[in-house]
Amino acid sequence: SQKIEQNSEALNIQEGKTATLTCNYTNYSPAYLQWYRQDPGRGPVFLLLIRENEKEKRKERLKVTFDTTLKQSLFHITASQPADSATYLCALGNTNAGKSTFGDGTTLTVKP
Amino acid sequence: GAGVSQSPSNKVTEKGKDVELRCDPISGHTALYWYRQSLGQGLEFLIYFQGNSAPDKSGLPSDRFSAERTGGSVSTLTIQRTQQEDSAVYLCASSSTSEGTGELFFGEGSRLTVL
């Protein structure tokens, strides 16, 4: 069955450092992979999408890589700030607006 | 409205009662999803509506759960004879197929507590 694993439930880093979150998947060949941010008590908010034929995508301080051979995506936040503290979810899908399957998320805490 | 609207935001009910949760998607979005999130967990897919196609109900955990979408817009998720394990946040999302990104726009969720 399909399985999505995100790295350790919690990640703590110092302000200014780069945070790297991992999303691994098995028994799946997604057409795209998305990253969402979720704050406590709120719904997830879309951050970035990367397609299977793309290696890397950037948006401001965010960078996502997608390695379909390793079945892995890395999500980087450079020059991290305390405001980046949240839970980050990866999601995989096969068709536009089709069902997306989510990982359990990684909670990032950036300490000042 | 500007975003996905869900109601009620909080619902406390007694075991065995039926509950209805409502989702008002972004106007013009043809796709609508229901997910469930238990405390500290990821999102569990429940059901997906796309235009006039038959819904994908593959994620509904039991026959106590059902959902409908009237007129291609508002959706209602109904849980009959609620159990304590149904306690969770129920999230609704909508998406526009024309944008081609598969980006989901989520509501703030309905927190259900079954006593």
Side-chain angles (χ1 to χ4, degrees):
Chain A
S1 61
Q2 299 169 358
K3 190 173 183 181
I4 301 172
E5 289 187 346
Q6 296 192 238
N7 63 325
S8 60
E9 296 178 359
L11 181 63
N12 299 310
I13 65 168
Q14 206 68 33
E15 181 176 10
K17 301 292 186 182
T18 296
T20 298
L21 285 66
T22 304
C23 178
N24 294 295
Y25 59 93
T26 56
N27 299 321
Y28 207 143
S29 296
Y32 61 80
L33 187 148
Q34 302 169 329
W35 284 90
Y36 288 80
R37 169 182 173 142
Q38 187 175 26
D39 291 286
R42 310 297 298 274
V45 174
F46 173 81
L47 296 175
L48 280 170
L49 172 141
I50 187 165
R51 301 186 189 281
E52 59 179 337
N53 60 348
E54 298 174 318
K55 296 294 185 185
E56 180 179 301
K57 184 87 59 91
R58 292 175 184 262
K59 179 182 177 182
E60 298 173 350
R61 293 184 296 112
L62 309 180
K63 185 178 84 171
V64 173
T65 63
F66 193 9
D67 189 326
T68 55
T69 301
L70 293 179
K71 294 186 182 295
Q72 179 182 79
S73 174
L74 299 179
F75 177 77
H76 306 274
I77 306 175
T78 58
S80 60
Q81 305 166 359
D84 295 327
S85 299
T87 296
Y88 292 86
L89 301 160
C90 70
L92 283 69
N94 265 322
T95 56
N96 290 335
K99 181 179 69 178
S100 292
T101 302
F102 284 79
D104 286 345
T106 297
T107 299
L108 173 67
T109 302
V110 181
K111 300 180 179 179
Chain B
V4 177
S5 178
Q6 292 189 245
S7 61
S9 56
N10 278 287
K11 176 72 176 178
V12 180
T13 190
E14 294 180 346
K15 177 181 174 181
K17 300 287 189 181
D18 297 352
V19 296
E20 284 189 353
L21 308 176
R22 176 190 167 104
C23 173
D24 201 340
I26 293 173
S27 178
H29 279 191
T30 58
L32 186 147
Y33 309 74
W34 284 98
Y35 286 86
R36 178 169 71 174
Q37 188 174 33
S38 300
L39 188 63
Q41 300 297 308
L43 277 65
E44 175 189 4
F45 168 76
L46 297 178
I47 187 168
Y48 159 54
F49 297 89
Q50 173 56 61
N52 295 320
S53 303
D56 177 353
K57 304 180 181 180
S58 60
L60 294 178
S62 76
D63 58 8
R64 296 186 296 105
F65 288 72
S66 63
E68 62 177 21
R69 188 178 186 192
T70 54
S73 182
V74 171
S75 177
T76 302
L77 176 69
T78 301
I79 308 173
Q80 296 178 311
R81 305 181 301 281
T82 52
Q83 303 294 312
Q84 289 183 331
E85 59 263 30
D86 299 334
S87 296
V89 175
Y90 290 81
L91 290 161
C92 175
S94 69
S95 180
S96 169
T97 54
S98 63
E99 293 179 2
T101 65
E103 174 183 351
L104 300 182
F105 294 81
F106 282 88
E108 300 292 22
S110 293
R111 180 177 298 278
L112 174 66
T113 303
V114 182
L115 301 177

